[in-house]
């Protein structure tokens, strides 16, 4: 049910800005103690952006401790804005927490594979862990045949959409609507004093999220191995029509008034204000944001998840990601306990409880798994495997991603051309 993706954590400031209220992770079934002579206390570090995130991560540690008598998992909430660089520095310096939030694959400052290559992570040899990893995405956590992290769950990376509000003004969009069909309705939304989408164009993460969502269909839909070919220098960003189409599509949406006024320089607060006042119908974010907002609204708003639509003539694919992960330090003094904690996280019980709490999709999901109601519009895409991962997970470095996000803003303001942005990304690739 899942496939490779998205660094949803890079979009967390959006969820933080739009959601409030507590998320409490329920305890799960299980029993036993890790035993052994090693210390029975480990730390678990993460970068929570708000109280909800903190409660979810801390609840995961609490649930594990309840089912493992005599052990303690101590949460450490590090500043979210600087978390990737902070944890990267600590791992490289040999003073990392026992376990910590990490990013699957490569391309980020806290990505798993570079750490694994440097011998800085604890190898996870438990067969239960290896068998639980989604087979289509094992490269996110496995290096040289050994696992070095486990996923927290999967997110659908698309549009958080208020369909009831949209229909009240005559705007009709579903998972099958092409981008051309959406653009054709942007004027109708404007006439009603609203915009179809909110965009935080001043935020690298939101711009890149949108561009990558478009490229999920225009590039990776027809060529899921594009990243491999780029690594072999068989293709380039600037030389791939699908990448040009993706960035040109963002500009077409902008020119058609599909985004709110001032979108090119807006921050996440513009989305907060737009959503709370009913001025925007949807915004680009990981699917877990829908649950956070609906919980905070106390049932007064109903949101659904839609894919980021492809232009007419191109098949729309949904981006689904499982890159948000947890790893253990090679320096931990409690390798057995750390392994048990990660084993619990990727177990069926752990995945389902966590997913129900935060609005993600369990990586252990199968045809019998009941997804939350907001996933209903994209269920057919998931079940038919019309999905791709967010590609930046295994890009060579974070600069490629950052220059994509910054480049989108440059395109919207007229300071950069599509060709210049793609050429810069090729230069960044190395």
């Amino acid at each position: 049910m899942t496939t490779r993706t998205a660094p949803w954590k890079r979009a967390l400031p959006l969820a933080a800005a739009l959601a409030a209220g507590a998320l409490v992770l329920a305890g799960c079934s299980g029993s036993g103690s890790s035993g052994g002579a090693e210390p029975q206390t480990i730390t678990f570090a993460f970068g929570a952006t708000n109280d909800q995130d903190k409660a979810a991560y801390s609840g995961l540690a609490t649930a594990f401790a309840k089912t493992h008598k005599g052990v303690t998992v101590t949460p450490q909430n590090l500043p979210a804005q600087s978390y990737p660089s902070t944890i990267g520095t600590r791992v490289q310096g040999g003073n990392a927490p026992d376990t910590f939030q990490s990013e699957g694959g490569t391309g980020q400052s806290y990505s798993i594979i570079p750490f694994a290559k440097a011998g800085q992570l604890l190898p996870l040899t438990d067969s239960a862990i290896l068998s639980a990893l989604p087979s289509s995405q094992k490269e996110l956590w496995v290096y040289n045949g050994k696992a070095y992290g486990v996923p927290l769950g999967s997110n659908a990376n698309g549009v958080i959409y208020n369909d009831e509000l949209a229909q009240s003004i005559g705007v009709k969009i579903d998972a099958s609507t092409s981008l051309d069909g959406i653009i054709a309705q942007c004027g109708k939304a404007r006439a009603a004093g609203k915009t179809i989408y909110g965009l935080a164009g001043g935020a690298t993460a939101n711009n890149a999220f949108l561009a990558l969502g478009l490229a999920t269909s225009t590039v990776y839909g027809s060529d899921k191995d594009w990243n491999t070919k780029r690594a072999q220098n068989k293709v380039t960003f600037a030389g791939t029509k699908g990448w040009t189409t993706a960035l040109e599509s963002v500009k077409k949406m902008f020119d058609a008034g599909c985004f709110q006024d001032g979108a090119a320089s807006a921050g996440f607060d513009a989305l907060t204000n737009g959503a709370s006042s009913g001025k925007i119908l949807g915004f680009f974010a990981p699917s877990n944001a829908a649950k956070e907002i609906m919980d905070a609204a106390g049932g007064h708003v109903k949101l659904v998840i839609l894919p980021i639509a492809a232009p007419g003539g191109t098949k729309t694919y949904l981006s689904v990601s499982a890159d948000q992960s947890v790893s253990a330090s090679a320096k931990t003094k409690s390798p057995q306990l750390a392994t048990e904690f990660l084993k619990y996280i990727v177990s069926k019980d752990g995945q389902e409880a966590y997913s129900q709490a935060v609005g993600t999709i369990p990586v252990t999901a199968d045809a019998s798994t009941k997804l939350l109601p907001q996933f209903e519009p994209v269920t057919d895409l998931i079940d038919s495997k019309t999905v791709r991962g967010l590609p930046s997970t295994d890009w060579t470095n974070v600069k490629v991603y950052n220059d994509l996000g910054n480049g989108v803003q440059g395109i919207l303001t007229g300071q950069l051309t599509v060709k210049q942005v793609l050429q810069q990304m090729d230069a960044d690739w190395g």
Side-chain angles (χ1 to χ4, degrees):
M1 178 170 288
T2 55
T3 188
R4 301 199 46 240
T5 179
W8 65 272
K9 212 44 176 172
R10 291 194 285 280
L12 267 180
L14 177 59
L18 292 170
L23 292 175
V24 180
L25 184 64
C28 306
S29 61
S31 62
S33 171
S34 64
E38 64 183 35
Q40 292 300 286
T41 297
I42 57 172
T43 53
F44 174 36
F46 46 84
T49 59
N50 53 34
D51 289 341
Q52 301 96 307
D53 295 325
K54 182 178 180 181
Y57 284 119
S58 298
L60 187 59
T62 300
F64 171 76
K66 284 182 177 179
T67 60
H68 291 72
K69 201 171 183 181
V71 307
T72 301
V73 181
T74 303
Q76 293 183 350
N77 184 21
L78 305 179
Q81 295 289 344
S82 59
Y83 180 84
S85 59
T86 298
I87 201 67
T89 298
R90 289 185 61 178
V91 172
Q92 292 167 9
N95 64 335
D98 295 294
T99 62
F100 55 91
Q101 169 202 335
S102 57
E103 177 77 11
T106 62
Q108 297 298 311
S109 56
Y110 64 131
S111 292
I112 288 173
I113 302 306
F115 290 156
K117 289 181 178 179
Q120 295 162 336
L121 298 182
L122 178 71
L124 308 170
T125 57
D126 191 299
S127 60
I129 292 177
L130 294 172
S131 63
L133 298 178
S135 59
S136 62
Q137 304 180 68
K138 283 191 175 180
E139 68 272 22
L140 295 180
W141 313 283
V142 175
Y143 172 67
N144 276 353
K146 296 180 180 179
Y148 291 89
V150 298
L152 280 165
S154 296
N155 260 292
N157 305 294
V159 179
I160 307 301
Y161 189 67
N162 189 330
D163 188 50
E164 292 181 348
L165 178 60
Q167 292 200 41
S168 74
I169 62 170
V171 171
K172 297 181 180 179
I173 299 172
D174 59 29
S176 67
T177 308
S178 71
L179 184 60
D180 295 353
I182 293 172
I183 290 175
Q185 299 183 75
C186 289
K188 180 182 288 188
R190 282 274 180 174
K194 308 180 189 301
T195 56
I196 290 181
Y197 297 127
L199 178 70
T204 297
N206 205 219
N207 290 338
F209 191 91
L210 170 57
L212 290 171
L214 288 162
T216 296
S217 299
T218 63
V219 178
Y220 297 87
S222 61
D223 189 358
K224 63 181 180 180
D225 297 320
W226 191 90
N227 279 359
T228 299
K229 294 176 182 177
R230 182 62 189 86
Q232 298 169 345
N233 290 319
K234 293 180 178 179
V235 295
T236 63
F237 289 100
T240 300
K241 183 179 179 181
W243 275 109
T244 298
T245 299
L247 297 191
E248 287 179 344
S249 294
V250 178
K251 186 64 163 59
K252 287 179 180 178
M253 296 164 73
F254 179 77
D255 291 343
C258 297
F259 307 133
Q260 82 282 6
D261 292 341
S265 59
F268 285 110
D269 60 319
L271 306 187
T272 308
N273 298 334
S276 63
S277 63
K279 296 294 186 182
I280 62 175
L281 306 182
F283 56 91
F284 311 103
S287 55
N288 69 293
K291 185 178 190 307
E292 291 183 0
I293 296 167
M294 288 191 291
D295 285 352
H300 295 296
V301 63
K302 180 181 178 182
L303 301 173
V304 298
I305 297 154
L306 294 177
I308 295 177
T314 300
K315 184 177 181 179
T316 293
Y317 282 75
L318 176 68
S319 170
V320 179
S321 63
D323 60 297
Q324 183 60 22
S325 307
V326 178
S327 295
S329 171
K331 299 287 187 179
T332 181
K333 294 181 180 178
S334 303
Q336 184 179 352
L337 179 56
T339 298
E340 285 294 313
F341 181 43
L342 270 59
K343 181 179 176 181
Y344 169 75
I345 291 173
V346 79
S347 70
K348 183 176 177 64
D349 285 344
Q351 286 285 309
E352 291 187 356
Y354 185 80
S355 295
Q356 288 294 314
V358 301
T360 53
I361 304 170
V363 298
T364 54
D366 55 31
S368 66
T369 302
K370 186 176 181 180
L371 300 181
L372 294 173
Q374 56 264 34
F375 288 100
E376 193 277 330
V378 295
T379 298
D380 286 346
L381 291 174
I382 295 173
D383 289 344
S384 65
K385 301 189 185 301
T386 309
V387 294
R388 294 286 186 268
L390 205 66
S392 55
T393 305
D394 60 357
W395 285 358
T396 55
N397 60 79
V398 71
K399 194 172 188 302
V400 186
Y401 172 87
N402 287 339
D403 279 338
L404 171 61
N406 292 329
V408 167
Q409 183 183 41
I411 291 169
L412 298 184
T413 59
Q415 295 175 305
L416 292 171
T417 66
V418 169
K419 184 176 181 180
Q420 286 173 326
V421 174
L422 296 176
Q423 288 176 332
Q424 181 60 54
M425 292 170 68
D426 281 319
D428 295 338
W429 188 274

